[in-house]
Amino acid sequence: MSPSARKAVVLVSGGLDSATVLAIANHEGYACYALSFEYGQRHRVEIEAATRVVAEVGAVEHRTMRIDLAAFGGSALTDRALAVPEAPTRGIPITYVPARNSVFLALALAWAETLGARDIFIGVNAVDYSGYPDCRPEFIAAFKELANVATRLGSEGGRFEIHAPLVELGKSEIIQRGAELGVDYAATVSCYQPSPSGEACGRCESCRLRCAGFAAAGLADPTRYVVPRSAV
């Protein structure tokens, strides 16, 4: 990586999508500053996965910020009293964390301003996804406009770019792209309710989308499941 490479803040959750986005940003020549969040999620295994992903894919620096979205509740990912659904649901599912991507991007924007970076990468996807409103192209476009009126850079005539390279790709396309870039998906965790040792349940919507993505891509699924997929 060139010392003069353009800086970018890359959101890294430890999941399949964000690992792919980090690999894409690296491949495009950015000096990547990875940002992860311990936001009150039910399991720490995704934080551990994010650390593995950054170590394997590469970044100039990796920071994990602690914030407490669990204080507000309202999501099965932050409230243990709410069950993670294992059957398809209508509308926006209970696994949606209110305003999560808005908060994450706002903090990424703050770090980008401090670094002198004009580029932020996020792994949202609006094709094979759970229907979250903050994963759509409209959200990314709106946040970009916000970023450019709410910052010193924007007020002085500069422009931030919010990159969402996966937003219109299916899960199999994302996996194929990551495989081309050498992403080790065994290091990632996508499950909404993984075991303490990081094994995926194989039943939640995120597991189903991931498993179907590998099948459609014609690639072996490296995910460790609590029980074999054939038994799920």
Side-chain angles (χ1 to χ4, degrees):
M1 183 183 299
S2 168
S4 61
R6 189 170 178 173
K7 296 176 181 178
V9 175
V10 184
L11 294 176
V12 179
S13 68
L16 182 156
D17 295 339
S18 67
T20 306
V21 165
L22 179 59
I24 289 172
N26 268 309
H27 180 71
E28 293 181 357
Y30 288 92
C32 295
Y33 290 77
L35 181 59
S36 303
F37 294 97
E38 188 172 347
Y39 61 89
Q41 60 267 60
R42 290 166 58 156
H43 299 283
R44 284 193 51 83
V45 295
E46 68 179 53
I47 300 300
E48 296 163 3
T51 300
R52 291 194 301 270
V53 165
V54 174
E56 294 187 12
V57 178
V60 176
E61 184 178 349
H62 181 206
R63 293 192 181 187
T64 298
M65 291 190 66
R66 291 185 177 180
I67 55 178
D68 188 15
L69 296 184
F72 304 119
S75 171
L77 299 191
T78 58
D79 187 343
R80 292 179 181 275
L82 299 175
V84 172
E86 295 183 353
T89 58
R90 285 188 172 187
I92 298 171
I94 194 65
T95 50
Y96 164 65
V97 180
R100 179 176 60 179
N101 284 344
S102 298
V103 172
F104 288 0
L105 280 174
L107 292 170
L109 181 63
W111 195 21
E113 275 214 287
T114 303
L115 290 169
R118 300 188 178 200
D119 298 89
I120 298 171
F121 282 77
I122 183 170
V124 294
N125 170 254
V127 179
D128 291 332
Y129 78 128
S130 297
Y132 301 156
D134 55 0
C135 288
R136 299 175 298 163
E138 300 94 319
F139 167 72
I140 296 301
F143 193 91
K144 177 180 173 180
E145 291 308 307
L146 169 67
N148 286 307
V149 298
T151 56
R152 176 184 294 175
L153 177 68
S155 69
E156 294 176 348
R159 296 289 292 175
F160 281 100
E161 291 294 333
I162 311 297
H163 302 267
L166 312 183
V167 72
E168 296 182 349
L169 299 183
K171 193 65 71 178
S172 64
E173 295 173 295
I174 294 169
I175 291 168
Q176 288 170 338
R177 180 62 175 141
E180 292 169 359
L181 295 174
V183 175
D184 178 11
Y185 287 122
T188 67
V189 172
S190 300
C191 183
Y192 289 151
Q193 50 183 1
S195 72
S197 59
E199 295 164 315
C201 73
R203 298 182 300 274
C204 69
E205 184 173 30
S206 187
C207 279
R208 293 196 303 271
L209 288 170
R210 179 179 172 118
C211 184
F214 277 104
L219 297 173
D221 183 355
T223 309
R224 295 183 300 118
Y225 292 103
V226 175
V227 295
R229 282 297 304 172
S230 59
V232 175

